[in-house]
Amino acid sequence: YMLPYYVTDSEGTATGDLSASYAWLESYEISYYAYEGRAASLAGSAYASLESAYRTYVNEAYLSLPTTTYTYMRSIIEAQGWNVNTANIIDKVAYYVQNAAIYDLEYDPKLDSAGDVAVAFLRDYKTGVCRHYASAATAIFRAIGIPARYTTGYLAEAVAGERTPVDNMHGHAWVE
């Protein structure tokens, strides 16, 4: 199934890329559509052209950062001795971010109004929830040169053929 990687507000406008801010609803409904693999049926040169255009878009959209965020994340990257070719870089960034703070549902809400949430989370507050970890990891990946996007959705254990209730407690954020 093709799933949305963005959250929309009540007017249908996508919110967030490095982070998102929105009010949780009582319920959430979306229609899912089976992916038929249209790209696989394209001729080689047509597919290559579309793939090239997509890669260009990804690099333009998912490597951008505000200057202050980039500078702080580069200081972490340099202190860790990382670069885009570092072996297991994704695991290393994940481990770093997971251990840079304490997961706490009772984190200081002032963090959410910080001018640069990813930097404030890693440098100042050191406590937060999934959206803070995902924002920080997204920023580090972008600063190192790996296209990344902040993603929100729901995380629930589902069993095929059984109904699975999903509510706001299943809300989750991660980095792609």
Side-chain angles (χ1 to χ4, degrees), residues 43-173:
S45 64
Y47 178 79
S49 174
L50 291 171
E51 177 66 22
S52 176
Y54 179 70
R55 286 179 184 268
T56 298
Y57 166 77
V58 164
N59 284 317
E60 289 172 0
Y62 301 127
L63 285 174
S64 65
L65 284 172
T67 303
T68 55
T69 307
Y70 178 83
T71 301
Y72 184 78
M73 297 307 162
R74 285 302 308 173
S75 72
I76 292 171
I77 292 163
E78 290 165 14
Q80 297 299 312
W82 297 333
N83 65 56
V84 72
N85 297 314
T86 299
N88 302 313
I89 189 60
I90 292 171
D91 293 334
K92 289 178 179 180
V93 170
Y95 181 83
Y96 177 86
V97 173
Q98 289 167 354
N99 290 284
I102 297 168
Y103 187 91
D104 185 359
L105 291 172
E106 301 296 322
Y107 70 93
D108 186 342
K110 291 178 188 171
L111 170 59
D112 292 331
S113 59
D116 190 326
V117 173
V119 170
F121 170 67
L122 292 174
R123 184 187 62 204
D124 306 323
Y125 289 85
K126 301 187 185 291
T127 62
V129 293
C130 59
R131 68 177 170 264
H132 305 117
Y133 286 86
S135 294
T138 300
I140 291 173
F141 284 128
R142 288 181 178 192
I144 208 166
I146 299 171
R149 63 185 175 191
Y150 173 92
T151 306
T152 60
Y154 294 90
L155 178 64
E157 299 269 340
V159 176
E162 292 183 20
R163 293 184 64 81
T164 304
V166 177
D167 60 22
N168 63 355
M169 292 307 295
H170 291 92
H172 191 55

